[in-house]
Amino acid sequence: MNRTPRSHMAQIAANDFLVLGRAGMDLYADPPGTRAEAARNFTAALGGSAANIAAGIVKLGGTAALVTTLSEDAVGRFVRNELAQYGVGLQHVLGAGGEARTSLAVVETRLADCQSVIYRNGAADFALRPEDVAAIGFADHGALIVTGTALAVEPSRAATFLAMRMARAAGRPVILDIDYRPYSWANPAEAAAICADAAGLSDVVVGNDLEFDVLAGGPGGLDHARHLAGDCTAVIYKMGERGSVTFSGDDSFETPIFPVAALKPTGAGDAFMAGLVTGLAQGLGLPAAVRRGTAAAAITVTRVGCAPASPAAAELDAFISRHAP
């Protein structure tokens, strides 16, 4: 595969990211532990993988601008206001008219049997068009992060592939979070084929064991991740409580999780990505950057929410220092 030369990963040092994908509103059943069907109160927060990653990057000292479309209604305005509060760049956040609606998730803060009900009928972020990304100056940023849900349907799929090609043409690394959500795709086979094409345009690919099984077309995701690493700078294969395995060329290493008293499972992947890419931007090296992402994920699962729960830089550094290997 003809990928961006690995030397271009140096551009990530700018610590300035474009993050493409979905943003939404999360409603958390309150107080923590309450089942959604029994709740009388809910806490609203920023949600959506791309939005959470962007907010997490800013909280860790980086710069992030979101590339997405929001509905032109109260929920869309809520999300836009939340993004602004976090300091996420809004210059590429566009409006989607008609009946498009910004995603809404009703979520529980529970570790066991945690319910998450996501409303994505006519999702506004799927309205992103190729012409919306064509005018973006990719050379003005350090890297592009793509969340894979944006690849599920048109016109967002074509817009996402165009963004990836434009970033590569500008000599900027492309980082893919597979972010497989079955309800967004026609079938797993389509997801495998499209995400494989996206991986072919990426320098770093991040996903969990189930997501790599989808790419592999069945059991065998670990071998598939190892194979991808022959052409990528890094492939990170996450395994939940068993930590992760990172492949880079012919090398690999394992990273354990940090032991914490988790409140819920949600938000870990987005915080991991924010910690990983800001760690790489700081020049920590791949093992330390993966560990930083793992620590950010550990902190996030101990709190309510996703974006609100992700750590600030000083807090993350202190947490890692307390858990020195």
Side-chain angles (χ1 to χ4, degrees):
M1 297 180 185
N2 182 23
R3 299 182 186 273
T4 304
R6 294 185 182 183
S7 61
H8 286 174
M9 283 298 295
Q11 299 292 342
I12 204 171
N15 208 8
D16 183 345
F17 300 90
L18 287 167
V19 188
L20 189 154
R22 72 185 189 279
M25 174 191 279
D26 286 351
L27 294 178
Y28 283 86
D30 189 56
T34 305
R35 302 292 286 179
E37 58 264 35
R40 291 296 176 267
N41 296 292
F42 291 85
T43 300
L46 180 67
S49 292
N52 292 334
I53 291 168
I57 288 170
V58 175
K59 292 175 77 171
L60 291 174
T63 300
L66 189 63
V67 182
T68 196
T69 45
L70 298 173
S71 54
E72 297 173 326
D73 56 20
V75 176
R77 290 190 291 274
F78 171 88
V79 173
R80 184 180 288 272
N81 290 342
E82 286 292 295
L83 290 166
Q85 289 292 320
Y86 282 105
V88 175
L90 301 175
Q91 61 268 38
H92 306 303
V93 176
L94 304 174
E99 295 301 312
R101 292 291 181 263
T102 294
S103 294
L104 176 68
V106 179
V107 193
E108 297 172 346
T109 304
R110 297 167 53 90
L111 190 59
D113 190 25
C114 179
Q115 298 182 104
S116 178
V117 182
I118 302 179
Y119 296 89
R120 285 185 58 74
N121 307 78
D125 52 277
F126 282 149
L128 187 70
R129 304 168 302 168
E131 51 264 43
D132 296 331
V133 305
I136 295 175
F138 288 88
D140 297 332
H141 302 272
L144 170 67
I145 300 171
V146 168
T147 54
T149 303
L151 295 162
V153 299
E154 299 289 3
S156 178
R157 179 183 297 169
T160 303
F161 276 120
L162 177 60
M164 298 175 84
R165 291 194 297 269
M166 290 180 67
R168 287 168 49 79
R172 298 302 186 265
V174 176
I175 301 155
L176 173 66
D177 185 337
I178 299 171
D179 190 36
Y180 174 65
R181 310 286 171 153
Y183 50 77
S184 294
W185 292 87
N187 53 67
E190 180 189 60
I194 297 300
C195 288
D197 289 343
L201 293 169
S202 302
D203 300 282
V204 178
V205 179
V206 179
N208 61 33
D209 41 8
L210 297 177
E211 289 169 336
F212 276 106
D213 280 351
V214 171
L215 264 65
L222 183 63
D223 288 338
H224 189 79
R226 184 183 291 110
H227 173 74
L228 281 177
D231 297 300
C232 290
T233 297
V235 176
I236 302 172
Y237 180 92
K238 299 184 294 183
M239 303 177 293
E241 293 183 355
R242 294 178 293 141
S244 64
V245 181
T246 300
F247 300 99
S248 183
D250 295 327
D251 299 326
S252 66
F253 61 87
E254 297 184 9
T255 306
I257 65 168
F258 289 79
V260 294
L263 281 179
K264 41 74 169 165
T266 52
D270 302 333
F272 176 89
M273 180 65 82
L276 170 72
V277 298
T278 54
L280 291 172
Q282 294 173 26
L284 294 183
L286 189 56
V290 172
R291 191 164 188 268
R292 188 172 179 81
T294 305
I299 292 171
T300 299
V301 297
T302 65
R303 300 169 174 169
V304 177
C306 293
S310 66
E315 180 185 21
L316 181 56
D317 290 339
F319 179 89
I320 293 172
S321 295
R322 291 196 305 270
H323 295 83

